[in-house]
Amino acid sequence: MRVSSTEFSDGSTQQGDGNHGDASVHTTLSPRTTNHRTNSITAADIFSKNFSRLQEQQIIFTTKLEKEKKRKEDIEVKLQYAKDNLTSLLEKTKSGAITKDVEISNQKVIGKV
């Protein structure tokens, strides 16, 4: 079987055995044709990359937002715990009156000694 190669004016080549109906014909695209197809795909690629970046940024932002919400909840829990402790201390000391009474009685004991 004889294989021939044909080169066209646009720089592309075609290989085959000479029979136009043969299924073994291979066409190689020229660089200009490839660049044209690449350029038309590039716009879609750019859009796709930009869209992907936007989605990644949204995921990052959502993750940061969730972390901040959790941090806020933790702070609120700690604040409530501190408020409860303060309220408990105020109730036990009756705003310092009991502590003052204990201190006065201790000073009396020390004075007697």
Side-chain angles (χ1 to χ4, degrees):
M1 174 165 77
R2 185 178 146 251
V3 177
S4 66
S5 178
T6 307
E7 186 169 334
F8 296 97
S9 62
D10 67 352
S12 63
T13 58
Q14 181 177 12
Q15 296 178 349
D17 65 357
N19 297 329
H20 295 292
D22 186 21
S24 66
V25 174
H26 302 286
T27 302
T28 305
L29 295 176
S30 71
R32 282 182 280 159
T33 307
T34 305
N35 285 342
H36 176 69
R37 289 184 183 176
T38 304
N39 288 341
S40 65
I41 293 172
T42 303
D45 288 342
I46 291 171
F47 175 80
S48 178
K49 286 179 184 178
N50 287 339
F51 186 70
S52 295
R53 271 191 221 126
L54 184 60
Q55 286 179 325
E56 290 171 4
Q57 289 174 352
Q58 182 182 13
I59 291 169
I60 291 169
F61 178 75
T62 302
T63 304
K64 286 181 179 181
L65 186 62
E66 288 172 1
K67 286 180 183 178
E68 285 298 316
K69 284 181 181 178
K70 176 147 179 40
R71 190 173 141 272
K72 179 184 174 191
E73 289 173 2
D74 291 344
I75 290 172
E76 287 175 348
V77 167
K78 289 178 183 177
L79 181 62
Q80 187 60 45
Y81 178 75
K83 283 181 180 179
D84 291 344
N85 281 342
L86 180 61
T87 303
S88 174
L89 288 171
L90 289 174
E91 287 175 0
K92 287 179 183 177
T93 62
K94 295 182 184 174
S95 298
I98 292 176
T99 305
K100 187 176 180 183
D101 291 341
V102 170
E103 189 177 320
I104 291 173
S105 66
N106 284 341
Q107 285 178 356
K108 287 181 183 177
V109 171
I110 292 172
K112 288 183 183 178
V113 173

